[in-house]
Amino acid sequence: MPQTPPFAAMFDSSGYSRNLYQSKEDNCGGLYYHDNNLLSGSLEALIQHLVPNIDYYPDRTYIFTFLLSSRLFMHPYELMAKVCHLCIEQQRLSEPGLDKNRIRKIAPKILQLLTEWTETFPYDFRDERMMRNLKELAQRIASGDEMYRKNVQQLLQNLIRKLATVSQYEEVLAKINATSTDRLTVLKTKPQSIQRDIITVCNDPYALAQQLTHIELSCYRDRKKTQNLEAYVEWFNRLSYLVATEICMPVKKKHRARVIEYFIDVARECFNIGNFNSLMAIISGMNMSPVSRLKKTWAKVKTAKFDILEHQMDPSSNFYNYRTALRGATQRSLTAHSNREKIVIPFFSLLIKDIYFLNEGCANRLPNGHVNFEKFWELAKQVSEFMTWKQVECPFERDRKILQYLLTVPVFSDDALYLASYESESPENHIEKDRWKTLRSALLGRV
């Protein structure tokens, strides 16, 4: 059974390479090319371009781009139904006494297309209508030859295994979210010295940066539809609030200063690794108002390293410094000989923002009704680059104890953070004093 090639180097600077597979002639009905690149086409012509025949197999970058963008025009099950219909009709797979030689020529190509679809977009197949069409087409192929029956069986088993893994992941994610309750009880418990904190669990900033990278690369690899985005945002917010909680929690000023310096070192290691998402989450947590108002604490901190990191992630000029660092990490990844050097974890919220503005800034259809495929090449290029980064195996050894702490330890809410901050360093004005009294009464039952 043909194997799906890796995502790396799928897209070149001009959009896509047409040399990976044999391609149809230019000037196909309903498709418009310029400089050998497909720029637009009618939806029907683009669907037809997806379907292989005995003499043709679509370029892999085209398959990925069309499967990614087609859902803006139709549901995946509708596309699968059309693809199945075209395969069956064009290859006469529904005729009795099927020509086995014909099946042997076309079956590997149809199986390859189905393999790419099930491996790259497995979530599509949670829809029973998708599975029904997939099984029908696969069965017609399998009926012609024993060898293809085994290949079809393997394809379906791989898909079912992947969907089962996704479901298990979602159950774990639900449990993690359920256990991540508020850490307010810490404020009510004395002495606080017996409470666990991040430094007692992991006193090595480099080790913590490695485990954060594990979470970015592993725990958040498989997602469901919009939960993909939600899980990333939830993780980013959780890490920010965890950082702020750890800083605001200690009673003594020198301990708070030590925690700040610890997270500065963790953030620096994240930058060196190429884990920009955790880096930005840590900086975000340290810049939250309950943390930034702790002036006496910050006076004890050597902030030179923090200033450098903030400069790297400065949002001015559309995050110019970060984008420069990201390009450097991407270049390192392309020429890397080890997984350690291949790691690139972008600042996810900015990546989504870029994709959003690219999508909103260009029309899906041209004035002549054609699908604007030039836009979708660019979208697919960004998404496929991200998918390539996500496929890197984390080279660091997992530490279950640290991971468990990062993913499940309760964190403060906004109100609890402010209360902890005021308890650490007294309010400076009437507004802060009034808020402190309100929070003490509401959260601690104290006046």
Side-chain angles (χ1 to χ4, degrees):
M1 187 170 180
Q3 294 298 305
T4 305
F7 269 104
M10 264 176 57
F11 291 82
D12 65 14
S13 58
S14 63
Y16 76 110
S17 165
R18 298 196 59 203
N19 301 320
L20 295 178
Y21 297 95
Q22 181 185 2
S23 297
K24 288 182 178 177
E25 291 295 317
D26 285 4
N27 306 317
C28 289
L31 297 179
Y32 173 71
Y33 291 91
H34 181 68
D35 288 341
N36 214 30
N37 287 325
L38 176 59
L39 298 188
S40 70
S42 68
L43 188 57
E44 289 303 317
L46 292 168
I47 295 171
Q48 180 69 65
H49 197 57
L50 181 70
V51 177
N53 60 42
I54 288 173
D55 303 314
Y56 162 77
Y57 188 82
D59 184 290
R60 186 173 180 237
T61 53
Y62 175 79
I63 295 172
F64 175 75
T65 303
F66 186 68
L67 290 180
L68 179 72
S69 58
S70 63
R71 59 205 69 228
L72 293 170
F73 304 98
M74 63 174 68
H75 194 282
Y77 83 83
E78 295 174 302
L79 177 61
M80 175 60 85
K82 286 179 178 287
V83 167
C84 289
H85 176 74
L86 286 169
C87 284
I88 291 167
E89 289 298 306
Q90 290 176 7
Q91 303 308 319
R92 303 193 293 276
L93 298 180
S94 57
E95 292 180 6
L98 204 58
D99 183 350
K100 286 200 173 184
N101 285 331
R102 188 176 185 81
I103 273 284
R104 287 191 184 113
K105 288 178 181 176
I106 190 59
K109 293 180 178 179
I110 295 176
L111 279 172
Q112 174 69 14
L113 178 64
L114 296 178
T115 299
E116 295 201 35
W117 197 336
T118 54
E119 286 185 357
T120 312
F121 299 97
Y123 296 99
D124 290 352
F125 295 87
R126 280 182 153 176
D127 189 314
E128 185 52 42
R129 294 165 294 190
M130 286 287 289
M131 287 298 282
R132 202 162 47 239
N133 280 318
L134 173 66
K135 287 175 181 176
E136 182 192 353
L137 182 55
Q139 191 176 4
R140 289 183 186 275
I141 294 169
S143 64
D145 197 302
E146 177 63 31
M147 179 178 71
Y148 298 125
R149 191 173 292 119
K150 290 177 182 176
N151 290 340
V152 164
Q153 201 172 3
Q154 182 189 338
L155 183 151
L156 292 172
Q157 283 174 349
N158 289 342
L159 174 60
I160 290 167
R161 194 180 303 118
K162 184 165 279 200
L163 290 175
T165 303
V166 167
S167 296
Q168 288 168 3
Y169 161 76
E170 288 171 356
E171 287 172 15
V172 170
L173 190 63
K175 286 178 184 174
I176 288 170
N177 290 338
T179 57
S180 298
T181 52
D182 197 284
R183 204 169 178 174
L184 184 60
T185 50
V186 175
L187 281 179
K188 298 180 181 179
T189 309
K190 301 294 180 182
Q192 286 195 357
S193 57
I194 65 169
Q195 296 292 340
R196 274 201 319 164
D197 64 9
I198 192 71
I199 296 177
T200 61
V201 174
C202 175
N203 64 5
D204 180 2
Y206 186 55
L208 191 77
Q210 290 181 342
Q211 297 311 303
L212 289 172
T213 303
H214 252 301
I215 293 172
E216 300 280 1
L217 286 174
S218 305
C219 296
Y220 291 79
R221 176 167 290 169
D222 291 314
R223 317 289 162 83
K224 174 188 172 187
K225 298 175 184 173
T226 57
Q227 282 186 1
N228 302 5
L229 307 184
E230 289 162 10
Y232 272 103
V233 172
E234 283 168 10
W235 162 244
F236 183 93
N237 289 342
R238 171 173 173 74
L239 181 53
S240 295
Y241 275 82
L242 176 62
V243 168
T245 299
E246 295 284 344
I247 293 170
C248 289
M249 216 173 36
V251 175
K252 294 186 177 179
K253 188 165 46 186
K254 67 177 182 181
H255 291 162
R256 293 194 297 275
R258 183 183 169 216
V259 175
I260 289 175
E261 289 183 340
Y262 172 83
F263 275 118
I264 291 172
D265 288 339
V266 174
R268 186 177 62 171
E269 294 301 342
C270 285
F271 180 85
N272 293 337
I273 288 171
N275 181 356
F276 298 106
N277 201 52
S278 291
L279 164 63
M280 187 58 98
I282 292 169
I283 291 175
S284 173
M286 296 171 81
N287 280 324
M288 289 173 75
S289 295
V291 177
S292 61
R293 67 167 296 278
L294 299 172
K295 295 183 176 61
K296 293 173 184 173
T297 302
W298 280 96
K300 287 188 165 292
V301 174
K302 297 172 185 173
T303 57
K305 287 186 286 187
F306 185 61
D307 293 340
I308 292 169
L309 291 171
E310 278 206 304
H311 176 71
Q312 287 289 350
M313 305 305 277
D314 183 357
S316 62
S317 303
N318 194 19
F319 287 90
Y320 177 81
N321 294 339
Y322 158 70
R323 293 182 189 279
T324 302
L326 180 66
R327 277 197 301 273
T330 303
Q331 202 58 42
R332 179 187 69 185
S333 179
L334 291 173
T335 58
H337 298 294
S338 68
N339 279 349
R340 167 66 184 79
E341 295 173 315
K342 287 181 184 176
I343 296 171
V344 182
I345 302 169
F347 174 29
F348 188 71
S349 295
L350 188 59
L351 174 72
I352 293 302
K353 182 182 171 187
D354 289 346
I355 291 173
Y356 172 81
F357 281 113
L358 174 58
N359 185 45
E360 291 296 307
C362 301
N364 290 338
R365 289 187 186 269
L366 301 176
N368 65 358
H370 272 200
V371 172
N372 181 6
F373 220 72
E374 192 170 15
K375 164 186 173 176
F376 295 124
W377 285 130
E378 288 305 314
L379 281 172
K381 190 174 181 180
Q382 290 197 29
V383 173
S384 68
E385 186 173 45
F386 178 69
M387 290 175 72
T388 301
W389 295 334
K390 290 297 291 178
Q391 287 171 353
V392 173
E393 288 296 324
C394 190
F396 309 123
E397 194 173 334
R398 291 171 67 90
D399 188 310
R400 189 171 295 276
K401 182 180 69 172
I402 300 173
L403 289 172
Q404 181 80 3
Y405 186 89
L406 288 169
L407 290 168
T408 65
V409 70
V411 297
F412 283 152
S413 64
D414 283 311
D415 283 348
L417 275 175
Y418 272 107
L419 178 56
S421 179
Y422 295 144
E423 296 278 325
S424 297
E425 292 188 20
S426 300
E428 294 185 344
N429 54 52
H430 289 300
I431 295 172
E432 286 192 346
K433 283 177 183 175
D434 289 343
R435 187 171 189 185
W436 186 26
K437 288 176 186 175
T438 303
L439 291 174
R440 279 177 71 87
S441 176
L443 300 181
L444 298 181
R446 297 177 192 163
V447 179

